[in-house]
Amino acid sequence: MAYDVARIRSWFPSLEHGWALFDGPGGTQTPRQVGEAIATTLTGPLSNRGQLGESAQRADAAVAAFRDAVADFTGADPRGVVHGRSATQLAYDFSRHLSRDWGPGDEVVVTRLDHDANVRPWVQAAERAGATVRWAAFDPATGELPTEAVASALTERTRLVAVTAASNLIGTMPDLPAIAGAVHDSGALLFVDGVHYAAHELPDLGVLGADFFTCSPYKFLGPHCGLLVADPELLERITPDKLRPATDVVPERFEFGTLPYELLAGVTAAIDVLASLADGADGVDGVDGAPAAPAERSESAATDAPASRRARLAASYAALHEHESRLLARLESALADLPGTTVHSRASRRTPTLLATFAGHEASAVSDALAADLVLAPSGNFYALEASRHLGLGDEGGLRIGLAPYTDDEDVDRLVAGLGRAVR
């Protein structure tokens, strides 16, 4: 089935408000399927997990369905799926877990391309441990982060490398498999920020070579929370501080307190919506938005059921990529014709995300002018502080234009027209 953007837009009540939204890199709108799954889970019988009654069983089912859905989404093992309040919180948590055995002489590598959530936790953890921080810089002229920039920072004392899968500021997607190869050859671990990446590219933990991969469902149609996936055997080797009565089972030992079952159901629903972008389904498994009970994981179920959703996700992302690439080409052509405009998103492999500045016009003023026309394209550094400064844009950054699954040609027309009025 062809990518039917009108059908997809009909799932989003917020689009009825009339705004053309280009703020997807900061968080997408939420489809009704996700809201219904959250509401149904939260207002139905619900209690702490267990098997004593429907309320406990529903909580248990929500957790199992969530881990299965995220595993299908990321190509991971359900036993390696960790829920967190945000990707930032998970990075801080794991920086503390992993740095417990770092010391003077050990080294950590971070990049100037990353969101600060994949920089500062590691810098601060290294400082506490007395370890050395090494920096890998991208080329501001091209936006590329060469593999060699990371590889040249590695030594036999490197303990961890933190790198983004896609820049949330300029969209650059580094060659992660090549970087992972160099990192692992040095004996270090690779922590990948996939928050921006997962909204536009279907993650595959094995292909990317990440030891840890984080993402945020609210960037891909889901609720506000964070996810981390890793090999369960690696998680078994990490011992976090926790309450004495709390379970020591992986991945639960990294999830502190009672899980938000309603948000887990929302994540599952968001992944099912993504899987249905190109196949005509309505994006909800289970009944009335409630989490479906997990199937028994027989050998055939473990092979066939995840592959079915994974295959649908792959087809959806292929269709989404084609749709967003066409709209991006239109935007790039229009910006090229706009006097005094500089586009800082230039890497050969990147997401449909553009950062622009305008001679004689502050990016914030252009953003304000667009908002007056009900076009939302925010300005700033978007917490990619090192990247903004490395581009020569200081802390002010630029105007960021991001596409989402519901962006259509009319949205692009309105943005282009608004930019023309703002900067000519």
Side-chain angles (χ1 to χ4, degrees):
M1 181 177 180
Y3 194 90
D4 185 349
V5 69
R7 163 182 161 265
I8 291 165
R9 286 175 66 87
S10 72
W11 299 342
F12 294 85
S14 60
L15 298 184
E16 298 173 5
H17 295 172
W19 283 75
L21 302 170
F22 292 91
D23 63 333
T28 55
Q29 301 302 298
T30 306
R32 59 173 173 77
Q33 298 96 315
V34 172
E36 289 170 359
I38 292 170
T40 299
T41 302
L42 189 59
T43 60
L46 191 66
S47 60
N48 279 335
R49 296 166 63 184
Q51 294 302 310
L52 295 177
E54 182 183 2
S55 60
Q57 292 168 5
R58 283 171 56 84
D60 220 32
V63 176
F66 157 78
R67 297 205 203 280
D68 282 349
V70 174
D72 289 348
F73 181 63
T74 58
D77 187 317
R79 296 174 300 126
V81 175
V82 180
H83 170 272
R85 189 187 67 79
S86 66
T88 301
Q89 174 246 307
L90 286 164
Y92 266 113
D93 281 352
F94 276 80
S95 72
R96 289 188 287 267
H97 303 332
L98 294 169
S99 64
R100 291 171 70 159
D101 61 351
W102 297 352
D106 290 329
E107 297 176 353
V108 176
V109 177
V110 294
T111 90
R112 301 210 183 271
L113 186 63
D114 274 76
H115 187 290
D116 211 52
N118 204 32
V119 174
R120 214 56 49 194
W122 307 110
V123 169
Q124 291 166 344
E127 289 173 347
R128 283 193 299 272
T132 300
V133 176
R134 291 180 174 270
W135 290 85
F138 68 97
D139 182 346
T142 64
E144 302 283 3
L145 177 66
T147 300
E148 180 56 28
V150 178
S152 63
L154 301 171
T155 74
E156 69 278 1
R157 297 305 302 269
T158 304
R159 302 297 301 274
L160 181 135
V161 175
V163 65
T164 187
S167 165
N168 72 305
L169 189 68
I170 57 175
T172 299
M173 293 191 294
D175 186 351
L176 274 185
I179 290 173
V183 171
H184 294 149
D185 285 347
S186 76
L189 293 169
L190 181 62
F191 193 101
V192 172
D193 175 354
V195 171
H196 185 59
Y197 178 91
H200 303 285
E201 301 286 333
L202 183 62
D204 190 314
L205 192 64
V207 170
L208 294 175
D211 294 296
F212 306 94
F213 181 92
T214 59
C215 58
S216 300
Y218 73 97
K219 308 288 188 176
F220 53 82
L221 315 183
H224 289 81
C225 60
L227 310 172
L228 178 143
V229 293
D231 186 328
E233 293 185 4
L234 174 57
L235 294 179
E236 291 282 3
R237 301 200 296 269
I238 302 169
T239 305
D241 291 329
K242 66 177 189 64
L243 302 180
R244 181 177 292 179
T247 181
D248 199 41
V249 173
V250 166
E252 282 88 346
R253 73 184 183 202
F254 299 99
E255 298 166 331
F256 307 119
T258 301
L259 286 167
Y261 307 121
E262 67 279 7
L263 296 187
L264 303 189
V267 173
T268 302
I271 292 170
D272 284 331
V273 168
L274 287 173
S276 70
L277 291 180
D279 67 5
D282 68 359
V284 175
D285 286 341
V287 180
D288 296 329
E296 289 294 325
R297 281 195 167 265
S298 64
E299 192 162 330
S300 61
T303 301
D304 297 338
S308 176
R309 178 157 49 190
R310 180 76 182 175
R312 291 175 62 218
L313 283 163
S316 286
Y317 268 81
L320 175 62
H321 189 269
E322 183 177 345
H323 173 72
E324 291 183 331
S325 294
R326 183 182 64 79
L327 295 181
L328 181 64
R330 287 196 59 206
L331 273 172
E332 289 178 321
S333 176
L335 288 171
D337 292 338
L338 206 57
T341 300
T342 300
V343 176
H344 302 273
S345 303
R346 300 170 182 153
S348 57
R349 291 187 67 251
R350 52 192 166 83
T351 64
T353 303
L354 301 175
L355 185 77
T357 52
F358 310 91
H361 301 275
E362 295 290 337
S364 58
V366 175
S367 179
D368 289 344
L370 290 171
D373 291 334
L374 300 187
V375 176
L376 183 56
S379 68
N381 62 56
F382 305 100
Y383 282 70
L385 188 62
E386 299 291 342
S388 183
R389 291 174 176 176
H390 196 59
L391 287 166
L393 303 178
D395 294 0
E396 289 72 31
L399 185 84
R400 186 176 66 180
I401 301 167
L403 303 183
Y406 42 75
T407 309
D408 65 6
D409 283 278
E410 183 182 350
D411 289 336
V412 173
D413 291 341
R414 291 171 60 187
L415 173 65
V416 170
L419 285 171
R421 288 189 291 272
V423 306
R424 287 190 188 278

